[in-house]
């Protein structure tokens, strides 16, 4: 067996313990009476409706007796969904009642909510969307949405100062299909109908900005950044690109939402009581701590030194799960934690325990067959790897399928309905992260630590690895 340096155990163990502490408690500072969060911890997790309660609101178009069209309602729905997804609220329910001109939405409270005021909670969702066409595509911040796509926010520089069109200049937007004259393939585009004033402004802009970008913004979020190919002198233009049918339709809905001839008003709203409540969540936390302690004791009693190393690796896996949910990593946004999400973490931790049990058992079997300690550790790692790999890879594939099918934007939402979207996605996400953590901690870190600690003379006794006492 290729030896690993003795200090490696202490370095890896210390890094895991520090990471566990920071991911659970975060890093906060104080500026006068204000608390500044430098690194988010478990306390920054946003809990779902089923744990922390939330808000239910019904929106209606302010059309003064004129019935809204189905396209207009779909556009309004698209902008409300866009705002929730941009806030990484995955545990939401969103419905459209076309007969009554109602849009019904349920979403969880913010985790640090103290006033529990439904009016202020829905204000940012019901505010009229501001659609703008701007010169260039300069932005201040970049985030990642729930599907892993980049989201560019807050226009800066020339883009912030130069507004070419506003929502009122766009009469309508429609997704259309056309035949590419070069390749003969079917492509999708978004066609815009401009008002008379908007057509004149757009003609002047496209003449000035040929070969340059005119970006499209919804509030402070960039939703598209097409390049001007030619001067557009009439009241119709098209946005082309490598669109799928769903992407073209989604962009058209968002543009229409910013050009709605009405604003949304709140017909009624109410708070939603949590299914479990704070006391039940505390009970779950207590049960989790007790369960983890029992697992640690069993690992120590049955597997001894490999069990101790496995406990440190499990701490790292748990910390990684919380970090991926809370917003600990700047490149991974926080999102709503639901009961199915907690179930995903628990299941992945169970698989982490299983991975360490398989490895420890294989090492114990090799020692009992009179292998040398180094040979037993090496053979135990080799014999256990593919069993762990197969189990985790198949689970990760299922988690990915759940995320793709039940994610905030997907091709099968219309079949399964909005009520299942966020909760199932949350389960798939935490299960995926937990299994990735199992590979990093249970397969990578634990093996490094065990190979390192076995180099110490005081830890060369085979009994410490499950062998018979001598």
């Amino acid at each position: 067996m290729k030896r690993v340096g003795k200090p490696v155990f202490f370095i890896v163990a210390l890094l895991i313990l520090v990471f566990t502490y920071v991911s659970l408690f975060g890093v906060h500072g104080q500026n006068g009476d204000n608390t500044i969060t430098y690194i988010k911890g478990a306390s920054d997790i946003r809990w779902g409706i089923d744990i922390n309660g939330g808000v239910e609101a019904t929106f209606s178009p302010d059309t003064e007796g004129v019935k809204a069209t189905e396209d207009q309602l779909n556009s309004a729905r698209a902008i409300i969904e866009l705002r929730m997804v941009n806030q990484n609220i995955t545990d939401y329910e969103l419905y459209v009642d076309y007969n009554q001109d109602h849009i019904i939405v349920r979403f969880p409270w913010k985790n640090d909510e103290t006033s529990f005021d439904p009016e202020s909670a829905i204000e940012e969702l019901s505010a009229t969307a501001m659609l703008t066409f701007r010169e260039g595509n300069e932005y201040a911040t970049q985030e990642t949405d729930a599907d892993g796509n980049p989201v560019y926010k807050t226009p800066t520089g020339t883009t912030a100062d130069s507004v070419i069109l506003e929502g009122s200049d766009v009469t309508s937007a429609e997704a259309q299909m056309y035949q590419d004259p070069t390749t003969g393939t079917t492509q999708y585009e978004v066609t815009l109908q401009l008002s008379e004033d908007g057509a004149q402004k757009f003609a002047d802009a496209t003449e000035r900005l040929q070969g340059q970008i005119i970006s499209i913004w919804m509030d402070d979020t960039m939703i598209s950044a097409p390049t001007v190919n030619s001067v557009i002198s009439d009241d119709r233009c098209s946005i082309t690109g490598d669109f799928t049918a769903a992407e073209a339709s989604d962009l058209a809905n968002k543009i229409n939402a910013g050009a709605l001839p009405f604003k949304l008003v709140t017909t009624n709203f109410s708070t939603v009581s949590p299914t479990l409540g704070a006391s039940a969540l505390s009970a779950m936390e207590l049960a989790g701590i007790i369960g983890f302690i029992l697992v640690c004791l069993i690992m120590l009693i049955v597997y001894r030194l490999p069990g101790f190393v496995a406990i440190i690796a499990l701490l790292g896996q748990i910390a990684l799960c919380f970090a991926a949910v809370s917003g600990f990593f700047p490149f991974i946004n926080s999102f709503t934690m639901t009961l199915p999400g907690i179930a995903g973490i628990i299941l992945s931790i169970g698989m982490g325990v299983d991975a360490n049990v398989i490895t420890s058992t294989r090492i114990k079997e090799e020692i009992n067959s009179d292998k040398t300690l180094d040979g037993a550790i090496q053979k135990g790692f080799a014999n256990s790897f593919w069993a762990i790999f197969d189990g985790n890879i198949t689970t990760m594939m299922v988690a990915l399928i759940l995320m793709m099918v039940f994610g905030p934007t997907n091709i099968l939402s219309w079949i399964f309905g909005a009520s299942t979207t966020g909760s199932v996605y949350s389960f798939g996400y935490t299960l995926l992260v937990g299994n990735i953590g199992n590979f990093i901690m249970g397969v990578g870190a634990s093996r490094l630590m065990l190979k390192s600690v076995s180099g110490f003379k005081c830890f060369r006794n085979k009994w410490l690895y499950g062998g018979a006492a001598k």
Side-chain angles (χ1 to χ4, degrees):
M1 179 182 74
K2 186 178 180 180
R3 290 288 182 89
V4 175
K6 294 179 181 179
V8 170
F9 170 79
F10 299 102
I11 294 171
V12 174
L14 181 61
L15 287 174
I16 289 176
L17 292 176
V18 171
F19 174 57
T20 300
Y21 178 86
V22 175
S23 68
L24 291 178
F25 300 101
V27 176
H28 306 279
Q30 202 70 26
N31 183 10
D33 295 332
N34 299 321
T35 300
I36 303 173
T37 300
Y38 299 108
I39 299 177
K40 292 183 178 181
S43 61
D44 297 297
I45 293 174
R46 183 167 187 164
W47 300 105
I49 295 174
D50 53 1
I51 297 175
N52 207 39
V55 177
E56 180 176 295
T58 301
F59 300 118
S60 296
D62 186 14
T63 53
E64 297 182 358
V66 179
K67 185 174 178 59
T69 66
E70 186 172 319
D71 288 340
Q72 289 173 332
L73 289 171
N74 286 334
S75 297
R77 180 191 187 279
I79 194 58
I80 292 174
E81 185 171 31
L82 174 66
R83 291 182 174 185
M84 287 192 291
V85 170
N86 283 344
Q87 296 176 45
N88 238 21
I89 303 174
T90 60
D91 179 34
Y92 64 84
E93 299 174 21
L94 189 57
Y95 313 92
V96 178
D97 184 342
Y98 299 104
N99 294 325
Q100 301 296 323
D101 283 1
H102 287 164
I103 300 173
I104 303 139
V105 59
R106 299 173 78 237
F107 58 95
W109 293 111
K110 292 181 180 179
N111 195 50
D112 57 353
E113 185 66 53
T114 56
S115 63
F116 297 100
D117 180 6
E119 290 185 81
S120 61
I122 64 175
E123 184 176 350
E124 59 185 339
L125 294 180
S126 61
T128 303
M130 182 63 181
L131 177 76
T132 54
F133 287 61
R134 298 173 180 268
E135 180 179 341
N137 62 335
E138 299 176 62
Y139 56 89
T141 59
Q142 177 180 338
E143 300 176 359
T144 305
D145 65 16
D147 293 325
N149 302 314
V151 177
Y152 307 106
K153 307 192 78 171
T154 312
T156 59
T158 303
T159 305
D161 298 332
S162 179
V163 176
I164 297 169
L165 297 177
E166 295 183 350
S168 57
D169 296 315
V170 181
T171 305
S172 65
E174 183 181 1
Q176 292 188 341
M177 183 173 58
Y178 71 97
Q179 202 82 11
D180 190 306
T182 304
T183 63
T185 59
T186 300
Q187 302 289 334
Y188 296 92
E189 65 180 2
V190 177
T191 60
L192 306 180
Q193 178 73 46
L194 305 178
S195 66
E196 183 178 346
D197 187 40
Q200 183 58 55
K201 290 189 288 187
F202 205 55
D204 295 339
T206 53
E207 183 176 6
R208 179 172 56 88
L209 299 173
Q210 286 191 67
Q212 300 182 49
I213 290 175
I214 294 180
S215 54
I216 306 173
W217 296 75
M218 187 66 71
D219 293 331
D220 68 340
T221 301
M222 183 162 53
I223 60 175
S224 185
T227 301
V228 179
N229 294 324
S230 61
V231 179
I232 299 173
S233 55
D234 57 16
D235 61 355
R236 293 188 67 84
C237 65
S238 62
I239 303 172
T240 59
D242 191 19
F243 292 129
T244 64
E247 289 169 343
S249 178
D250 183 55
L251 179 58
N253 282 338
K254 289 173 182 176
I255 294 174
N256 281 327
L260 282 174
F262 54 76
K263 66 177 182 178
L264 291 173
V265 296
T266 307
T267 306
N268 61 69
F269 54 84
S270 61
T271 59
V272 179
S273 298
T275 305
L276 293 182
S279 59
L281 182 59
S282 299
M284 290 176 64
E285 293 173 352
L286 180 60
I289 293 172
I290 293 173
F292 183 74
I293 291 173
L294 290 175
V295 168
C296 292
L297 290 174
I298 293 171
M299 293 295 291
L300 284 173
I301 293 169
V302 178
Y303 299 106
R304 299 159 195 171
L305 187 57
F308 176 74
V309 171
I311 292 169
I312 299 175
L314 283 174
L315 283 174
Q317 183 180 338
I318 294 170
L320 186 63
C321 289
F322 281 112
V325 173
S326 66
F328 176 94
F329 300 108
F331 53 88
I332 302 178
N333 289 337
S334 60
F335 78 99
T336 310
M337 174 68 86
T338 64
L339 280 178
I342 295 175
I345 292 178
I346 293 172
L347 180 56
S348 66
I349 292 172
M351 296 194 68
V353 173
D354 182 61
N356 284 282
V357 166
I358 292 172
T359 301
S360 300
T361 302
R362 295 290 189 271
I363 293 174
K364 184 177 180 179
E365 290 172 350
E366 295 299 328
I367 287 175
N368 291 332
S369 64
D370 293 329
K371 287 278 197 314
T372 64
L373 179 60
D374 290 342
I377 293 175
Q378 181 65 30
K379 192 70 174 176
F381 286 162
N383 290 343
S384 63
F385 177 78
W386 288 110
I388 297 170
F389 180 85
D390 290 345
N392 280 269
I393 285 296
T394 52
T395 305
M396 290 170 66
M397 290 173 62
V398 171
L400 284 170
I401 291 171
L402 291 175
M403 292 175 65
M404 288 188 293
V405 173
F406 295 100
T409 53
N410 64 83
I411 59 173
L412 295 180
S413 292
W414 63 278
I415 297 177
F416 296 101
S419 62
T420 62
T421 298
S423 57
V424 178
Y425 177 86
S426 180
F427 173 78
Y429 178 80
T430 54
L431 184 61
L432 176 65
V433 170
N435 277 270
I436 293 173
N438 188 18
F439 274 117
I440 296 172
M441 301 296 176
V443 176
S446 65
R447 296 186 177 205
L448 277 175
M449 287 189 289
L450 195 57
K451 285 183 177 181
S452 174
V453 78
S454 67
F456 290 88
K457 188 175 181 179
C458 59
F459 295 125
R460 298 287 295 175
N461 191 326
K462 292 185 178 181
W463 179 86
L464 294 172
Y465 301 84
K470 292 183 179 179

